[in-house]
């Protein structure tokens, strides 16, 4: 009995551990899927993997799937699908590579910006520390002086030096602002060129998709009309399914069905192309706008910071003068 209970207990533990491993695998798979979707979306090539766009062509196409199952069309359909999906896969690969290139350019840009800011900070801190050391020295000396005229003269010297520091710090900030403006413009030109090239190549891929769709449409039209002729002449050897027979009642009906299928496919292709091109343009403009706005805010903050520092020093000197009097 004891051994049986132990066995049952172990079996229950094994089941729990097995379920936990399954849950862990599912969780890891979901995390991986979300990360992949994010990567594809940021590269503007989401919705293209695994034949997604090809499947989307038929979402609203009622008659196309039926016509493509005609014995004369099965091989042509599979070839069309294979070539179409290959183009999409090539576009995804290209998109991911270009996303890496854009990320590298952004990294180089940010590095240049940080380098300029650090250089400005170093020289600004050096100037401030030099002034603070001078101020401390003068105020220490004034602590041993009782002559009001000497004190006033020294305070005036400090105030003049403070004005010089203000001019210097503002000069540094102006220099940095001009430097960053030039760096930003260079970066914007680079990203604009990259976005333009990316868009052109994306449009070329979608042109290939439309050419494949047209070739398939022509093949389907030719096949459908040949079958229509045989139906009219009662020479069709194989029996058509009921839903297909309804399409082959006359030439206009089958032609409309084939053309509607073709139009729906082209619309899907066009919509996907427009979606990518629009998002690329919006992303570029949005990123550039954030850079510009960020620089405006940085400049305003820095100017306010310099003015605040100087106001504090002036208040300190005024208080010293008032105490002396």
């Amino acid at each position: 009995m004891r051994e049986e209970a132990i066995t049952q207990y172990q079996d229950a533990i094994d089941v729990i551990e097995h379920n936990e491993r399954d849950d862990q695998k599912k969780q890891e798979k979901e995390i991986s899927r979300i990360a992949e979707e994010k990567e594809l979306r940021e590269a503007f090539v989401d919705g293209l993997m695994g034949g997604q766009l090809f499947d989307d062509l038929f979402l609203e196409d009622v008659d196309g799937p039926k016509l493509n199952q005609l014995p004369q069309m099965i091989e042509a359909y599979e070839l069309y699908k294979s070539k179409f999906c290959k183009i999409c896969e090539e576009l995804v690969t290209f998109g991911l590579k270009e996303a890496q290139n854009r990320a590298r350019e952004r990294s180089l840009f940010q590095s240049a910006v940080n380098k300029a800011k650090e250089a400005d900070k170093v020289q600004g801190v050096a100037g401030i520390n030099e002034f603070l050391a001078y101020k401390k020295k003068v105020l220490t000396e004034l602590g041993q002086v009782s002559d009001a005229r000497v004190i006033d003269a020294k305070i005036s010297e400090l105030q003049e030096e403070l004005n010089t520091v203000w001019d210097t710090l503002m000069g540094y900030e102006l220099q940095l602002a001009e430097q960053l403006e030039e760096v930003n413009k260079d970066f914007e030109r680079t990203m604009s060129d990259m976005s333009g090239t990316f868009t052109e190549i994306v449009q070329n891929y979608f042109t290939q998709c439309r050419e494949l769709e047209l070739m398939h449409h022509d093949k389907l039209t030719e096949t459908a009309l040949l079958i229509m002729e045989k139906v009219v002449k009662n020479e069709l050897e194989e029996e058509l399914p009921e839903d297909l027979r309804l399409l082959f009642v006359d030439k206009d009906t089958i032609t409309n069905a084939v053309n509607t299928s073709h139009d729906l496919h082209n619309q899907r292709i066009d919509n996907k192309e427009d979606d990518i091109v629009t998002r690329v343009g919006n992303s570029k403009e949005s990123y550039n706008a954030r850079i510009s706005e960020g620089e405006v805010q940085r400049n305003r903050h820095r100017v306010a910071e310099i003015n605040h520092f100087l106001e504090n020093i002036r208040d300190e000197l005024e208080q010293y003068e008032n105490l002396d009097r």
Side-chain angles (χ1 to χ4, degrees), residues 130-196:
E130 184 179 348
F131 170 77
L132 291 177
Y134 172 70
K135 178 178 75 89
K136 182 178 180 181
K137 175 178 174 292
V138 171
L139 292 182
T140 301
E141 291 174 355
L142 289 179
Q144 301 170 2
V145 176
S146 58
D147 190 327
R149 286 176 301 178
V150 174
I151 293 173
D152 289 343
K154 288 292 184 181
I155 293 296
S156 295
E157 287 178 14
L158 268 176
Q159 289 173 339
E160 288 178 9
E161 187 62 28
L162 184 61
N163 291 334
T164 300
V165 171
W166 186 89
D167 288 339
T168 300
L169 293 177
M170 283 300 186
Y172 289 158
E173 173 53 28
L174 179 60
Q175 183 182 41
L176 176 62
E178 291 175 346
Q179 210 175 343
L180 292 181
E181 182 181 11
E182 197 59 39
V183 171
N184 291 348
K185 284 181 179 178
D186 287 342
F187 176 72
E188 287 181 12
R189 280 193 292 268
T190 298
M191 294 305 291
S192 181
D193 290 344
M194 291 182 73
S195 296

Side-chain angles (χ1 to χ4, degrees), residues 100-323:
Q100 291 176 349
N101 291 338
R102 287 193 296 271
R104 184 166 54 251
E105 285 297 329
R106 287 173 178 172
S107 178
L108 290 172
F109 162 73
Q110 196 58 56
S111 177
V113 169
N114 291 341
K115 185 177 180 181
K117 287 180 179 179
E118 183 60 27
D120 173 74
K121 179 181 177 181
V122 168
Q123 61 184 3
V125 168
I128 290 172
N129 287 340
E130 184 179 348
F131 170 77
L132 291 177
Y134 172 70
K135 178 178 75 89
K136 182 178 180 181
K137 175 178 174 292
V138 171
L139 292 182
T140 301
E141 291 174 355
L142 289 179
Q144 301 170 2
V145 176
S146 58
D147 190 327
R149 286 176 301 178
V150 174
I151 293 173
D152 289 343
K154 288 292 184 181
I155 293 296
S156 295
E157 287 178 14
L158 268 176
Q159 289 173 339
E160 288 178 9
E161 187 62 28
L162 184 61
N163 291 334
T164 300
V165 171
W166 186 89
D167 288 339
T168 300
L169 293 177
M170 283 300 186
Y172 289 158
E173 173 53 28
L174 179 60
Q175 183 182 41
L176 176 62
E178 291 175 346
Q179 210 175 343
L180 292 181
E181 182 181 11
E182 197 59 39
V183 171
N184 291 348
K185 284 181 179 178
D186 287 342
F187 176 72
E188 287 181 12
R189 280 193 292 268
T190 298
M191 294 305 291
S192 181
D193 290 344
M194 291 182 73
S195 296
T197 300
F198 179 76
T199 297
E200 288 177 12
I201 294 176
V202 164
Q203 290 172 329
N204 180 57
Y205 275 113
F206 280 103
T207 296
Q208 293 179 52
C209 288
R210 277 187 286 270
E211 288 172 351
L212 278 178
E213 166 59 29
L214 180 59
M215 290 170 60
H216 184 71
H217 168 68
D218 290 343
K219 174 68 176 176
L220 184 57
T221 300
E222 179 185 357
T223 301
L225 292 179
L226 286 174
I227 293 175
M228 188 70 245
E229 285 183 25
K230 291 182 178 181
V231 169
V232 171
K233 296 178 181 178
N234 202 24
E235 296 176 353
L236 192 64
E237 297 178 0
E238 67 274 10
E239 183 72 16
L240 292 174
E242 177 64 24
D243 54 353
L244 274 176
R245 281 206 305 272
L246 294 175
L247 296 178
F248 285 94
V249 292
D250 55 50
K251 185 177 179 180
D252 286 343
T253 300
I254 188 59
T255 299
N256 287 337
V258 172
N259 287 340
T260 298
S261 174
H262 178 56
D263 291 342
L264 288 171
H265 295 180
N266 274 333
Q267 185 178 36
R268 286 283 177 176
I269 295 170
D270 291 347
N271 288 346
K272 189 59 182 176
E273 179 183 1
D274 291 342
D275 171 64
I276 293 176
V277 171
T278 300
R279 284 163 58 201
V280 169
N282 289 345
S283 175
K284 180 195 68 176
E285 294 301 327
S286 174
Y287 196 84
N288 290 342
R290 287 199 302 274
I291 290 173
S292 297
E293 179 59 25
E295 171 53 19
V296 168
Q297 294 301 323
R298 185 209 63 78
N299 176 256
R300 287 176 181 171
H301 178 75
R302 180 55 178 158
V303 170
E305 190 177 54
I306 293 170
N307 287 329
H308 181 66
F309 168 75
L310 268 69
E311 286 298 326
N312 285 341
I313 299 296
R314 287 196 181 100
D315 289 345
E316 183 183 354
L317 295 180
E318 286 177 7
Q319 289 174 11
Y320 192 91
E321 281 185 300
N322 291 335
L323 284 174

Side-chain angles (χ1 to χ4, degrees), residues 14-56:
D14 290 344
V15 169
I16 292 172
E17 290 178 346
H18 175 74
N19 291 339
E20 287 178 347
R21 285 194 297 270
D22 280 351
D23 290 342
Q24 180 66 24
K25 288 179 181 178
K26 289 177 182 176
Q27 186 177 9
E28 290 174 355
K29 187 175 180 180
E30 179 64 11
I31 291 172
S32 177
R33 183 190 66 79
I34 292 173
E36 183 182 82
E37 285 186 357
K38 181 175 182 291
E39 182 182 23
L40 292 172
R41 187 168 58 253
E42 290 177 350
F44 310 112
V45 288
D46 49 310
L48 296 172
M49 286 288 287
Q52 285 177 276
L53 180 57
F54 187 82
D55 293 340
D56 286 348

